[in-house]
Structure formats: structure tokens, C-alpha cells
Amino acid sequence: MSLNDEADTYRLVRQEDVVQAYTEALTAAGISTTGNLFAFNIKGCSPKKAPGEPLYIHAVQDRGQPRGSEYPTFVFTTGLNRTDASLMFRTFAGKQLYLSEVISCEKTQCLLSAKTGFSDVCLSDPFGNPAPDLQGLRKDFWTDLLGWLGL
């Protein structure tokens, strides 16, 4: 399911402490940023080692570094404190996200994917783990065609 069929699912990050948290996590990984960050956040599934502790998954784009119609896209996880961000995954993707129609706490399910060209890449499973090997969630003619062609 595309999120509201919007061409841009992300929203500008306006809270300076949150921008700083994302920037610090990126800098620690050796990644530079312009600070022009846009994000989409969703609650994930609590890990088995910490049941009951909330987990939030953040898809974040640096809109100051475009590569055509795609941007550096990062996946972070946090608990209740959004300023304690852990970088989980990095890719280039477009502005549209796809969310699983059925959210289940299974590591074999893609929770959130992002548009890349005529396809999509799974950004995260429900536990916030990187999941580029899981099938994406985009459902359209182009995705079906690529699947039929084995690409």
C-alpha cells in the first residue's frame, strides 16, 4: 500500500534536537549530511530481548544531496527518546514509501519499502532490521513486469 498515494511521503524534520540526533548518528558512521532532513516514522515491534519496550523506525532522507529523483535514504531506530537514533541501513530512494497492508511481527515480512526507479527496496522489517533482501511492497504494472522478466 502506498502511503496515501502521495508523491512525497516524508515530512521536513523541524525539531533541532532530532536533526542533531540523526546528524550525529550519520557522522559516527562517516556519512556527511546537509541537515536538510525529511522523515517518516512508524512504530515497530518490540524485540524479544526487550518485550514491552517501544521501537520506532525512522526513514530519513537528506534532500540536500539529490541523485536524479533519488536521495540518500537512511533507516534509524529509536526507543521513546527520538534523540537516541541508531543507524541501521543506507540506500538511495525516491520520495514515495510503501507500507505493509498487514503489520505482523515476523522478520520475514517487509514493513516499509521505498521507491527506486521502476521498483522498490525493502528498508526495514518490523523490528527495524535492514531488509534489502526481502521483497518490496510496491504493487503496480512495472513491478509486476520486472517480476515476470525475472529482474
Side-chain angles (χ1 to χ4, degrees):
M1 161 174 82
S2 173
L3 295 170
N4 299 324
D5 291 324
E6 293 182 30
D8 189 351
T9 312
Y10 299 84
R11 298 291 175 250
L12 178 65
V13 180
R14 297 184 189 277
Q15 295 173 283
E16 286 301 318
D17 58 338
V18 176
V19 171
Q20 185 63 32
Y22 293 147
T23 300
E24 288 175 4
L26 291 170
T27 301
I31 302 168
S32 65
T33 178
T34 66
N36 186 18
L37 303 177
F38 285 66
F40 173 82
N41 310 297
I42 187 167
K43 187 173 183 187
C45 297
S46 299
K48 289 183 181 177
K49 63 183 176 186
E53 283 190 33
L55 172 83
Y56 294 91
I57 301 165
H58 311 261
V60 178
Q61 288 189 324
D62 186 341
R63 296 285 175 86
Q65 300 183 32
R67 186 173 79 177
S69 63
E70 297 182 343
Y71 301 87
T73 303
F74 310 97
V75 177
F76 296 94
T77 58
T78 66
L80 285 175
N81 182 359
R82 287 182 56 194
T83 61
D84 187 21
S86 298
L87 178 63
M88 304 304 290
F89 183 60
R90 175 186 182 186
T91 190
F92 280 86
K95 296 178 179 181
Q96 195 166 27
L97 290 172
Y98 304 92
L99 182 63
S100 177
E101 291 180 9
V102 177
I103 298 175
S104 63
C105 294
E106 298 177 27
K107 288 187 177 189
T108 58
Q109 295 292 319
C110 180
L111 174 66
L112 189 65
S113 70
K115 181 178 180 181
T116 56
F118 290 108
S119 187
D120 65 329
V121 62
C122 183
L123 298 177
S124 176
D125 71 11
F127 296 95
N129 299 310
D133 296 333
L134 292 179
Q135 182 176 351
L137 302 167
R138 183 175 174 177
K139 304 289 183 218
D140 63 10
F141 170 77
W142 296 110
T143 305
D144 291 342
L145 180 63
L146 289 173
W148 296 326
L149 297 174
L151 302 174

